[in-house]
Amino acid sequence: MNPIFDIQPLLGTSHIPLNAPREQILSSLNQPFKSINKYPERAQPSDAFYRNDLHVSYQGQPASVESIEFAYSDLFDVTLLGESILNLPVNSALAKLESLTGLTPHTPDNGYTYEIPTLGLWLWRESNDNFDENGFYFFTIGIKAIR
C-alpha cells in the first residue's frame, strides 16, 4: 500500500511538518534520497525522494523544512485535507480547492500555476499538453511555510 501524504495548510503534511529539522524528515521518511540544487540562490540543497517525485526544500541553520512539493506519482498518494486533487481535471481541482479552503486560488502565469498565498499552497501544470477527454490536469501540488 502506498503511503498517503495529506497536506494540511500552514502545517505541512501528515509525514512532513513545515519548519521541522531536516534530520527529523530524513529519519521519519526513511527513504533513499538525493540532494539537488533546486533553488541555486539558496544555501541549502533540497532533498528528492520517491524517484524525484517528492521534493523537500529547506532554509536556515540548522536546516528546516521551508516547502514540500509533490508530483503525481504511483509511489505515494497525496491529498489535501483528505481529498484527492491531482487526479482531478483542472476546473474540478480548482473548485475542490476553493471548497476545501474557502479561498479562491489565483494564477500569476495564465493558468500554469494557481496559488493561495495566505495558505502557502500552490498547484502547477507544465503545459497545455497534459490532458485527456476530461481536460487538463495539474502535475504538482505544494505547500510552503508562511513567515
Side-chain angles (χ1 to χ4, degrees), residues 28-102:
S28 67
L29 287 180
N30 194 29
Q31 289 291 315
F33 70 95
K34 64 179 176 179
S35 291
I36 58 173
N37 194 18
K38 184 170 180 144
Y39 301 105
E41 70 277 6
R42 294 187 184 173
Q44 299 287 346
S46 297
D47 290 328
F49 302 88
Y50 294 99
R51 272 193 334 231
N52 207 29
D53 291 346
L54 164 57
H55 291 175
V56 179
S57 298
Y58 308 94
Q59 65 180 16
Q61 286 295 338
S64 64
V65 177
E66 189 272 333
S67 66
I68 312 157
E69 186 170 21
F70 297 91
Y72 187 86
S73 178
D74 60 353
L75 299 175
F76 56 79
D77 296 315
V78 62
T79 57
L80 173 64
L81 298 169
E83 300 283 335
S84 293
I85 296 287
L86 293 181
N87 64 346
L88 298 174
V90 166
N91 289 339
S92 298
L94 293 173
K96 178 67 76 175
L97 183 62
E98 189 167 349
S99 164
L100 289 170
T101 65

Coordinates of all heavy atoms in Angstrom, one line a residue, residues 28-102:
S28 N 12.3 10.2 9.6 CA 10.9 9.7 9.6 C 10.4 9.2 8.2 O 9.7 8.2 8.2 CB 9.9 10.9 10.0 OG 9.9 11.9 9.1
L29 N 11.0 9.7 7.1 CA 10.6 9.2 5.8 C 11.3 7.9 5.6 O 10.8 7.0 4.9 CB 11.0 10.2 4.7 CG 10.0 11.4 4.6 CD1 10.5 12.3 3.4 CD2 8.6 11.0 4.4
N30 N 12.6 7.7 6.1 CA 13.3 6.5 5.9 C 13.3 6.0 4.5 O 13.0 4.8 4.2 CB 12.8 5.5 6.9 CG 13.8 4.3 7.0 OD1 15.0 4.5 6.9 ND2 13.3 3.1 7.3
Q31 N 13.6 6.9 3.5 CA 13.6 6.6 2.1 C 14.9 7.0 1.5 O 15.5 8.0 2.0 CB 12.5 7.4 1.4 CG 11.1 6.9 1.7 CD 10.8 5.5 1.1 OE1 11.2 5.3 -0.1 NE2 10.2 4.7 1.9
P32 N 15.4 6.3 0.5 CA 16.5 6.8 -0.3 C 16.2 8.2 -0.8 O 15.1 8.5 -1.1 CB 16.7 5.8 -1.4 CG 15.9 4.7 -1.1 CD 14.8 5.1 -0.1
F33 N 17.2 9.1 -0.8 CA 17.0 10.4 -1.3 C 18.3 10.9 -2.0 O 19.4 10.3 -1.8 CB 16.7 11.4 -0.2 CG 17.8 11.7 0.8 CD1 18.6 12.7 0.6 CD2 18.0 10.8 1.8 CE1 19.6 13.0 1.5 CE2 19.1 11.0 2.7 CZ 19.9 12.1 2.6
K34 N 18.2 12.0 -2.7 CA 19.4 12.6 -3.3 C 19.2 14.1 -3.0 O 18.1 14.7 -3.1 CB 19.6 12.3 -4.7 CG 18.6 12.8 -5.7 CD 18.9 12.4 -7.1 CE 17.8 12.8 -8.0 NZ 18.0 12.6 -9.4
S35 N 20.3 14.8 -2.7 CA 20.3 16.2 -2.6 C 20.4 16.9 -3.9 O 21.2 16.4 -4.7 CB 21.4 16.7 -1.6 OG 21.1 16.3 -0.3
I36 N 19.5 17.9 -4.2 CA 19.5 18.5 -5.5 C 19.6 20.0 -5.3 O 19.2 20.6 -4.3 CB 18.3 18.2 -6.3 CG1 17.0 18.5 -5.6 CG2 18.3 16.7 -6.7 CD1 15.7 18.4 -6.4
N37 N 20.1 20.7 -6.3 CA 20.2 22.2 -6.3 C 19.0 22.8 -7.0 O 19.1 23.4 -8.0 CB 21.5 22.6 -7.0 CG 21.9 24.0 -6.7 OD1 21.4 24.6 -5.7 ND2 22.7 24.6 -7.5
K38 N 17.8 22.6 -6.4 CA 16.6 23.0 -6.9 C 16.5 24.5 -7.0 O 16.0 25.1 -8.0 CB 15.4 22.5 -6.1 CG 14.1 22.8 -6.7 CD 13.0 22.0 -6.1 CE 11.6 22.4 -6.7 NZ 10.7 21.4 -6.8
Y39 N 17.0 25.2 -6.0 CA 17.0 26.7 -5.9 C 18.4 27.2 -5.8 O 18.9 27.3 -4.6 CB 16.1 27.1 -4.7 CG 14.7 26.7 -4.8 CD1 14.2 25.6 -4.0 CD2 13.8 27.2 -5.7 CE1 12.9 25.2 -4.1 CE2 12.5 26.8 -5.8 CZ 12.1 25.8 -5.0 OH 10.8 25.3 -5.1
P40 N 19.1 27.5 -6.9 CA 20.5 27.8 -6.8 C 20.8 29.0 -5.9 O 21.9 29.2 -5.4 CB 20.9 28.1 -8.3 CG 19.8 27.4 -9.1 CD 18.6 27.4 -8.2
E41 N 19.8 29.9 -5.7 CA 20.0 31.1 -4.9 C 20.0 30.8 -3.4 O 20.4 31.6 -2.6 CB 18.9 32.2 -5.2 CG 17.5 31.8 -4.7 CD 16.7 30.9 -5.7 OE1 17.3 30.4 -6.7 OE2 15.6 30.7 -5.4
R42 N 19.7 29.6 -3.0 CA 19.6 29.2 -1.6 C 20.9 28.5 -1.2 O 21.5 27.7 -1.9 CB 18.4 28.3 -1.3 CG 17.1 29.0 -1.5 CD 16.0 28.1 -1.1 NE 14.7 28.7 -1.3 CZ 13.6 28.1 -1.2 NH1 13.5 26.9 -0.7 NH2 12.5 28.7 -1.4
A43 N 21.2 28.7 0.1 CA 22.4 28.0 0.6 C 22.1 26.5 0.8 O 23.1 25.7 0.7 CB 22.8 28.6 1.9
Q44 N 20.9 26.1 1.1 CA 20.5 24.8 1.4 C 20.1 24.0 0.2 O 19.3 24.5 -0.6 CB 19.4 24.7 2.4 CG 19.7 25.4 3.7 CD 20.6 24.5 4.6 OE1 20.8 23.4 4.3 NE2 21.1 25.1 5.6
P45 N 20.6 22.8 -0.1 CA 20.0 22.0 -1.2 C 18.6 21.5 -0.8 O 18.3 21.5 0.4 CB 21.0 20.9 -1.3 CG 21.7 20.7 0.0 CD 21.7 22.1 0.6
S46 N 17.9 21.0 -1.7 CA 16.6 20.3 -1.5 C 16.9 18.8 -1.5 O 17.9 18.4 -2.1 CB 15.6 20.6 -2.6 OG 15.3 22.0 -2.6
D47 N 16.0 18.0 -0.9 CA 16.1 16.6 -1.0 C 15.0 16.0 -1.8 O 13.8 16.5 -1.7 CB 16.0 16.0 0.4 CG 17.2 16.3 1.3 OD1 18.3 16.4 0.8 OD2 17.0 16.4 2.5
A48 N 15.3 15.1 -2.7 CA 14.4 14.5 -3.6 C 14.2 13.0 -3.2 O 15.2 12.3 -3.0 CB 14.9 14.5 -5.0
F49 N 12.9 12.6 -3.0 CA 12.6 11.3 -2.5 C 11.7 10.6 -3.6 O 11.1 11.3 -4.5 CB 11.8 11.3 -1.2 CG 12.5 12.0 -0.1 CD1 12.5 13.4 0.1 CD2 13.3 11.2 0.8 CE1 13.1 14.0 1.2 CE2 14.0 11.8 1.9 CZ 13.9 13.2 2.0
Y50 N 11.4 9.4 -3.5 CA 10.5 8.6 -4.3 C 10.7 8.9 -5.8 O 9.9 9.5 -6.5 CB 9.0 9.0 -3.9 CG 8.6 8.5 -2.6 CD1 8.7 9.4 -1.5 CD2 8.2 7.2 -2.3 CE1 8.3 9.0 -0.2 CE2 7.9 6.8 -1.1 CZ 7.9 7.7 0.0 OH 7.5 7.2 1.2
R51 N 11.9 8.5 -6.3 CA 12.2 8.7 -7.7 C 12.1 10.2 -8.2 O 11.8 10.4 -9.3 CB 11.3 7.9 -8.6 CG 11.7 6.5 -8.9 CD 10.8 5.9 -10.0 NE 9.5 6.4 -10.2 CZ 8.4 5.8 -10.2 NH1 8.4 4.5 -10.2 NH2 7.2 6.4 -10.4
N52 N 12.4 11.1 -7.3 CA 12.3 12.5 -7.6 C 10.9 13.1 -7.7 O 10.7 14.2 -8.2 CB 13.1 12.8 -8.9 CG 13.6 14.2 -9.0 OD1 14.0 14.8 -7.9 ND2 13.8 14.7 -10.2
D53 N 9.9 12.3 -7.2 CA 8.5 12.8 -7.2 C 8.1 13.6 -6.0 O 7.1 14.2 -6.0 CB 7.6 11.6 -7.3 CG 7.6 10.8 -8.6 OD1 8.2 11.4 -9.6 OD2 7.1 9.7 -8.7
L54 N 9.0 13.7 -5.0 CA 8.7 14.4 -3.8 C 10.0 15.3 -3.5 O 11.1 14.7 -3.4 CB 8.4 13.5 -2.6 CG 8.5 14.1 -1.2 CD1 7.6 15.3 -1.0 CD2 8.2 13.0 -0.1
H55 N 9.8 16.6 -3.4 CA 10.9 17.5 -3.1 C 10.7 18.2 -1.8 O 9.6 18.7 -1.6 CB 11.1 18.5 -4.2 CG 11.6 18.0 -5.5 ND1 11.7 18.8 -6.6 CD2 12.0 16.8 -5.8 CE1 12.2 18.1 -7.6 NE2 12.4 16.8 -7.1
V56 N 11.6 18.2 -0.9 CA 11.6 18.9 0.4 C 12.7 19.9 0.3 O 13.9 19.6 0.2 CB 11.7 18.0 1.6 CG1 11.7 18.8 2.9 CG2 10.6 16.9 1.6
S57 N 12.3 21.2 0.5 CA 13.3 22.3 0.4 C 13.4 22.9 1.8 O 12.5 22.9 2.6 CB 12.9 23.4 -0.6 OG 12.9 22.8 -1.9
Y58 N 14.6 23.4 2.1 CA 15.0 23.8 3.5 C 15.5 25.2 3.4 O 16.0 25.7 2.4 CB 16.1 22.9 4.1 CG 15.7 21.5 4.0 CD1 16.2 20.7 3.0 CD2 14.9 20.9 5.0 CE1 15.9 19.3 2.9 CE2 14.6 19.5 4.9 CZ 15.1 18.7 3.9 OH 14.8 17.4 3.8
Q59 N 15.5 25.8 4.6 CA 16.2 27.1 4.8 C 16.7 27.2 6.2 O 16.2 26.5 7.1 CB 15.3 28.3 4.4 CG 14.1 28.5 5.3 CD 13.3 29.7 4.9 OE1 13.4 30.2 3.8 NE2 12.4 30.2 5.7
G60 N 17.6 28.1 6.4 CA 18.2 28.4 7.7 C 19.2 27.4 8.2 O 19.6 26.4 7.5
Q61 N 19.8 27.7 9.4 CA 20.8 26.9 10.0 C 20.3 26.7 11.5 O 20.2 27.7 12.2 CB 22.1 27.6 10.0 CG 22.8 27.6 8.7 CD 23.2 26.1 8.2 OE1 23.3 25.2 9.0 NE2 23.3 26.0 6.9
P62 N 20.0 25.5 11.9 CA 20.1 24.3 11.1 C 18.9 24.3 10.1 O 17.9 25.0 10.3 CB 19.9 23.2 12.2 CG 19.2 23.9 13.3 CD 19.6 25.3 13.3
A63 N 19.1 23.5 9.1 CA 18.1 23.4 8.0 C 16.8 22.9 8.5 O 16.7 21.9 9.2 CB 18.6 22.4 6.9
S64 N 15.7 23.6 8.1 CA 14.3 23.2 8.5 C 13.5 23.3 7.3 O 13.8 24.1 6.3 CB 13.8 24.1 9.6 OG 13.7 25.4 9.2
V65 N 12.4 22.6 7.2 CA 11.5 22.5 6.1 C 10.9 23.8 5.7 O 10.2 24.4 6.6 CB 10.4 21.4 6.3 CG1 9.5 21.4 5.1 CG2 11.1 20.0 6.5
E66 N 11.1 24.3 4.5 CA 10.6 25.5 4.0 C 9.4 25.2 3.1 O 8.4 25.9 3.1 CB 11.6 26.4 3.4 CG 11.2 27.8 3.0 CD 10.5 27.9 1.6 OE1 10.9 27.1 0.7 OE2 9.7 28.8 1.4
S67 N 9.6 24.2 2.2 CA 8.5 23.9 1.3 C 8.5 22.4 0.9 O 9.6 21.7 1.1 CB 8.6 24.7 0.0 OG 9.7 24.4 -0.7
I68 N 7.4 21.9 0.5 CA 7.2 20.5 0.1 C 6.5 20.5 -1.2 O 5.4 21.1 -1.3 CB 6.4 19.7 1.2 CG1 7.0 20.0 2.6 CG2 6.4 18.2 0.9 CD1 6.0 19.7 3.7
E69 N 7.0 19.8 -2.2 CA 6.3 19.7 -3.5 C 6.2 18.2 -3.9 O 7.1 17.5 -3.9 CB 7.1 20.5 -4.5 CG 6.3 20.6 -5.8 CD 7.0 21.6 -6.8 OE1 8.2 21.9 -6.6 OE2 6.3 22.0 -7.7
F70 N 4.9 17.9 -4.3 CA 4.6 16.5 -4.7 C 4.2 16.5 -6.2 O 3.4 17.3 -6.6 CB 3.4 16.0 -3.9 CG 3.6 15.8 -2.5 CD1 3.3 16.9 -1.6 CD2 4.1 14.7 -1.9 CE1 3.5 16.8 -0.2 CE2 4.3 14.6 -0.6 CZ 4.0 15.6 0.3
A71 N 4.9 15.6 -6.9 CA 4.4 15.4 -8.3 C 3.5 14.2 -8.3 O 3.5 13.4 -7.4 CB 5.6 15.1 -9.2
Y72 N 2.6 14.2 -9.3 CA 1.7 13.0 -9.4 C 2.6 11.8 -9.5 O 3.6 11.7 -10.2 CB 0.9 13.1 -10.7 CG -0.1 12.0 -10.8 CD1 -1.4 12.2 -10.2 CD2 0.1 10.8 -11.5 CE1 -2.3 11.1 -10.2 CE2 -0.8 9.8 -11.5 CZ -2.0 10.0 -10.9 OH -2.9 9.0 -11.0
S73 N 2.3 10.7 -8.7 CA 3.2 9.6 -8.6 C 2.4 8.3 -8.4 O 1.4 8.3 -7.8 CB 4.2 9.8 -7.4 OG 5.0 8.7 -7.2
D74 N 3.0 7.2 -8.8 CA 2.4 5.9 -8.5 C 3.1 5.3 -7.2 O 2.7 4.2 -6.8 CB 2.6 4.9 -9.7 CG 4.0 4.7 -10.0 OD1 5.0 5.3 -9.5 OD2 4.3 3.8 -10.9
L75 N 4.0 6.0 -6.6 CA 4.7 5.6 -5.4 C 4.0 6.0 -4.1 O 4.3 5.5 -3.0 CB 6.1 6.0 -5.4 CG 6.9 5.5 -6.6 CD1 8.3 6.0 -6.6 CD2 7.0 3.9 -6.6
F76 N 3.2 7.0 -4.1 CA 2.5 7.5 -3.0 C 1.2 8.2 -3.4 O 1.1 8.5 -4.6 CB 3.4 8.5 -2.1 CG 3.9 9.7 -2.9 CD1 3.1 10.8 -3.2 CD2 5.2 9.7 -3.4 CE1 3.6 11.9 -3.9 CE2 5.7 10.8 -4.1 CZ 4.9 11.8 -4.4
D77 N 0.4 8.5 -2.5 CA -0.9 9.3 -2.7 C -0.7 10.6 -2.0 O -0.2 10.6 -0.9 CB -2.1 8.5 -2.3 CG -2.3 7.2 -3.0 OD1 -2.2 7.2 -4.3 OD2 -2.6 6.2 -2.4
V78 N -1.2 11.6 -2.6 CA -1.2 12.9 -1.9 C -2.6 13.5 -1.9 O -3.4 13.4 -2.9 CB -0.2 13.9 -2.6 CG1 -0.6 14.2 -4.1 CG2 -0.1 15.2 -1.8
T79 N -3.0 14.0 -0.8 CA -4.4 14.6 -0.6 C -4.3 15.9 0.0 O -3.2 16.3 0.6 CB -5.3 13.7 0.3 OG1 -4.6 13.5 1.5 CG2 -5.5 12.3 -0.4
L80 N -5.3 16.7 -0.1 CA -5.4 18.0 0.6 C -6.6 17.9 1.5 O -7.7 17.7 1.0 CB -5.6 19.1 -0.5 CG -5.9 20.5 0.1 CD1 -4.7 21.0 0.9 CD2 -6.2 21.5 -1.0
L81 N -6.3 18.0 2.8 CA -7.4 17.9 3.8 C -8.2 16.6 3.5 O -9.5 16.7 3.6 CB -8.2 19.2 3.8 CG -7.5 20.4 4.2 CD1 -8.3 21.7 3.9 CD2 -7.0 20.4 5.6
G82 N -7.6 15.5 3.2 CA -8.2 14.3 3.0 C -8.8 14.0 1.6 O -9.4 13.0 1.3
E83 N -8.7 15.0 0.7 CA -9.3 14.9 -0.6 C -8.3 14.8 -1.7 O -7.3 15.7 -1.7 CB -10.3 16.1 -0.9 CG -11.4 16.2 0.1 CD -12.5 15.2 -0.2 OE1 -12.7 14.7 -1.3 OE2 -13.2 14.9 0.8
S84 N -8.4 13.9 -2.7 CA -7.5 13.9 -3.8 C -7.7 15.1 -4.7 O -8.8 15.6 -4.9 CB -7.8 12.6 -4.6 OG -7.4 11.5 -3.9
I85 N -6.6 15.6 -5.2 CA -6.6 16.8 -6.1 C -6.0 16.6 -7.4 O -6.5 16.9 -8.5 CB -5.9 18.0 -5.4 CG1 -6.6 18.4 -4.1 CG2 -5.8 19.2 -6.3 CD1 -8.0 19.1 -4.3
L86 N -4.8 15.9 -7.4 CA -4.0 15.8 -8.7 C -4.7 14.8 -9.7 O -4.4 14.9 -10.8 CB -2.6 15.3 -8.4 CG -1.7 16.3 -7.6 CD1 -0.3 15.7 -7.4 CD2 -1.6 17.6 -8.4
N87 N -5.6 14.0 -9.2 CA -6.3 13.1 -10.2 C -7.6 13.8 -10.8 O -8.3 13.1 -11.5 CB -6.6 11.8 -9.6 CG -7.6 11.9 -8.4 OD1 -7.8 13.0 -7.9 ND2 -8.1 10.7 -8.0
L88 N -7.8 15.0 -10.5 CA -9.0 15.8 -11.0 C -8.6 16.7 -12.1 O -7.5 17.3 -12.1 CB -9.6 16.6 -9.9 CG -10.2 15.9 -8.6 CD1 -10.6 16.9 -7.6 CD2 -11.3 15.0 -9.0
P89 N -9.5 16.9 -13.1 CA -9.2 17.9 -14.2 C -9.1 19.2 -13.5 O -9.6 19.5 -12.4 CB -10.4 17.8 -15.1 CG -11.0 16.5 -14.8 CD -10.7 16.1 -13.4
V90 N -8.4 20.1 -14.1 CA -8.0 21.5 -13.6 C -9.3 22.2 -13.0 O -9.2 22.6 -11.9 CB -7.3 22.4 -14.6 CG1 -7.3 23.8 -14.2 CG2 -5.9 21.9 -14.8
N91 N -10.3 22.3 -13.8 CA -11.5 23.0 -13.3 C -12.1 22.4 -12.0 O -12.5 23.0 -11.1 CB -12.6 23.1 -14.4 CG -12.2 24.1 -15.4 OD1 -11.3 25.0 -15.2 ND2 -12.7 24.0 -16.6
S92 N -12.1 21.0 -12.0 CA -12.6 20.3 -10.8 C -11.7 20.5 -9.6 O -12.1 20.6 -8.5 CB -12.8 18.8 -11.1 OG -13.8 18.7 -12.1
A93 N -10.4 20.4 -9.9 CA -9.4 20.6 -8.8 C -9.5 22.0 -8.2 O -9.4 22.1 -7.0 CB -8.0 20.4 -9.4
L94 N -9.7 23.0 -9.1 CA -9.8 24.4 -8.5 C -11.1 24.5 -7.7 O -11.0 25.2 -6.7 CB -9.7 25.4 -9.7 CG -8.4 25.5 -10.4 CD1 -8.5 26.4 -11.6 CD2 -7.3 26.0 -9.5
A95 N -12.2 24.0 -8.2 CA -13.4 24.0 -7.4 C -13.3 23.3 -6.1 O -13.7 23.8 -5.0 CB -14.5 23.4 -8.2
K96 N -12.6 22.2 -6.1 CA -12.4 21.4 -4.8 C -11.5 22.2 -3.9 O -11.7 22.3 -2.7 CB -11.7 20.0 -5.2 CG -11.4 19.2 -4.0 CD -12.6 18.7 -3.2 CE -13.2 17.6 -4.0 NZ -14.3 17.0 -3.2
L97 N -10.4 22.8 -4.4 CA -9.5 23.6 -3.6 C -10.3 24.8 -2.9 O -10.1 25.0 -1.7 CB -8.4 24.2 -4.5 CG -7.3 25.0 -3.8 CD1 -6.5 24.2 -2.8 CD2 -6.3 25.5 -4.9
E98 N -11.1 25.4 -3.7 CA -11.9 26.5 -3.1 C -12.9 26.0 -2.1 O -13.1 26.6 -1.0 CB -12.7 27.3 -4.3 CG -13.3 28.5 -3.8 CD -13.8 29.4 -4.9 OE1 -13.4 29.2 -6.1 OE2 -14.5 30.4 -4.6
S99 N -13.5 24.9 -2.4 CA -14.5 24.3 -1.4 C -13.8 23.9 -0.1 O -14.3 24.1 1.0 CB -15.1 23.1 -2.1 OG -15.7 22.2 -1.2
L100 N -12.6 23.3 -0.2 CA -11.9 22.9 1.0 C -11.3 24.0 1.8 O -11.3 23.9 3.0 CB -10.7 22.0 0.6 CG -11.1 20.6 0.1 CD1 -9.9 19.9 -0.5 CD2 -11.8 19.8 1.2
T101 N -10.9 25.1 1.2 CA -10.2 26.2 1.9 C -11.1 27.4 2.1 O -10.7 28.3 2.9 CB -8.9 26.6 1.1 OG1 -9.3 27.2 -0.1 CG2 -8.0 25.5 0.9
G102 N -12.1 27.6 1.3 CA -12.9 28.8 1.4 C -12.3 30.0 0.7 O -12.8 31.1 0.8

